[in-house]
Amino acid sequence: MRRRATTAGAVLALAVTACSPEAAPPAPSAPAATTVAASTATAAPPPTSSTPTVAWQVGARPLPRRPDGFGRVEPTPPELVNRALPTKDLLPSPAGDAYAATVSAVPAEVLARSTWQPGCPVKAGDLRYLTMSFWGFDGRAHTGEMLVNASGAAGITKVFGQLFAARFPLEEMRVTGPAELTAPPTGDGNSTSAFVCRPARGQTNWSAHAYGLAVDVNPFCNPYTQGDLVLPELASAYVDRTRRRPGMVLAGDATVRAFAAIGWSWGGNWHSPTDRMHFTATGH
C-alpha cells in the first residue's frame, strides 16, 4: 500500500490482507501444476503443553470509522502484543519438513473467489496460482496459496522457499476475496498475500497488487504507518521495531534480502508512508 484512502471501498483492501473477517474461503481444488524443486529444512519445534492457546477470533469486532474512512486506531489488545495465533489450514499440510511449491494457471474456482474481474489491469491468463509451504507461529508446517503475476511466479516461490528454510513464521497465506474490500475494518488481519484488484491507496491509478506484482508479508507484524494512521489499526504494538518478535521484517534481514535478490524492493524503506509489510516489483 502506498497512499491513504478516503473512501470506504478502499479501506479494507489494506494492501491485500489486513482487516478482513476470518470466514474461511472454500478449500481450493488441486490444479495441474508445475512442482518447484524442494529444499530441506530442519523441523520446527512442535508446540509444548506449556504454550498457552490464545483466544482471539480475527475479524470479530468492527472498529468505529475515522473521518478518513479507516478504522479508529486503538491500542493493541494484550492477546496480540506478541502475536502467535495458530494457522487455520485451507490446504493439506506438506509431507515432512521439505519445502514444496507449485505454479499453475489459475483454476476457475480460485479466480471466481478472488478479486479479479474483466476490468482489472491484468488478464486472468497472466496470473499464476501458487501453493507454497510455510511455517506457522504454531511451529508447524502449512501449505498456503497466492495469486501473482506470471512474470514473478518463479521468483516468489524461490523467496518463500528461503523464508521456509530460515523458519520465518507466517500466520496465514490465502487468496483475497472481494468481500474483504468492503468489509468493516477490524484492524487485526495478518494474511500474507499478493494479487488484489484495487487502486493504489488514495489514488485513482492501479496498485501494484492489481497487477500481481506486490506481496504483503504478515501485515499485523509489519504495519503501514503515515502520520497518526496505523494499518492494521490494532497493530500499534509493532510500530516499535526495536522490540523484535517473530514474523517481523527488519532492514537487511533474510526476508528483505530474499526479495531484493529477485529485484523486488521493500516499502519499509519508505518514509511517508512507511509500508513495512509491502514488497514490490514496480517500486510502488
Side-chain angles (χ1 to χ4, degrees):
M1 86 183 51
R2 191 65 194 260
R3 297 290 179 194
R4 211 167 51 173
T6 57
T7 62
V11 171
L12 271 301
L14 186 51
V16 229
T17 57
C19 311
S20 60
E22 192 64 6
S29 58
T34 300
T35 301
V36 178
S39 60
T40 58
T42 305
T48 65
S49 58
S50 61
T51 302
T53 300
V54 176
W56 184 269
Q57 182 180 349
V58 176
R61 186 177 73 89
L63 296 169
R65 290 192 190 272
R66 297 162 34 127
D68 58 12
F70 291 104
R72 184 173 66 199
V73 176
E74 296 184 353
T76 303
E79 299 93 329
L80 302 181
V81 169
N82 296 296
R83 185 161 179 151
L85 301 183
T87 296
K88 297 180 180 179
D89 287 311
L90 299 177
L91 294 168
S93 298
D97 296 331
Y99 175 71
T102 66
V103 179
S104 70
V106 184
E109 65 86 11
V110 175
L111 193 68
R113 60 181 169 85
S114 77
T115 59
W116 187 87
Q117 54 185 306
C120 294
V122 63
K123 297 177 181 178
D126 291 333
L127 294 173
R128 293 293 180 270
Y129 179 64
L130 313 183
T131 66
M132 298 180 287
S133 306
F134 68 93
W135 291 108
F137 287 90
D138 52 15
R140 298 186 173 95
H142 302 272
T143 303
E145 59 170 7
M146 185 178 291
L147 294 182
V148 301
N149 194 288
S151 65
I156 292 301
T157 59
K158 181 178 180 180
V159 166
F160 282 91
Q162 291 174 308
L163 299 190
F164 187 87
R167 309 180 69 80
F168 182 85
L170 304 172
E171 186 171 319
E172 62 175 345
M173 182 194 296
R174 58 178 175 77
V175 172
T176 302
E180 297 178 68
L181 300 183
T182 55
T186 61
D188 55 356
N190 201 27
S191 178
T192 295
S193 60
F195 172 77
V196 63
C197 190
R198 65 166 179 82
R201 190 160 302 282
Q203 302 179 32
T204 57
N205 57 297
W206 291 107
S207 162
H209 288 287
Y211 296 87
L213 292 172
V215 172
D216 287 343
V217 176
N218 283 343
F220 196 90
C221 304
N222 301 293
Y224 168 108
T225 54
Q226 185 173 37
D228 67 348
L229 180 64
V230 179
L231 297 175
E233 293 94 336
L234 298 183
S236 295
Y238 279 87
V239 174
D240 179 2
R241 309 307 280 178
T242 64
R243 184 179 175 186
R244 300 190 176 194
R245 282 153 286 179
M248 292 173 64
V249 176
L250 301 167
D253 72 3
T255 306
V256 174
R257 294 195 307 271
F259 276 99
I262 65 167
W264 289 42
S265 59
W266 179 45
N269 288 326
W270 303 344
H271 298 293
S272 182
T274 303
D275 201 350
R276 300 166 185 86
M277 69 184 79
H278 187 74
F279 290 91
T280 172
T282 69
H284 301 287

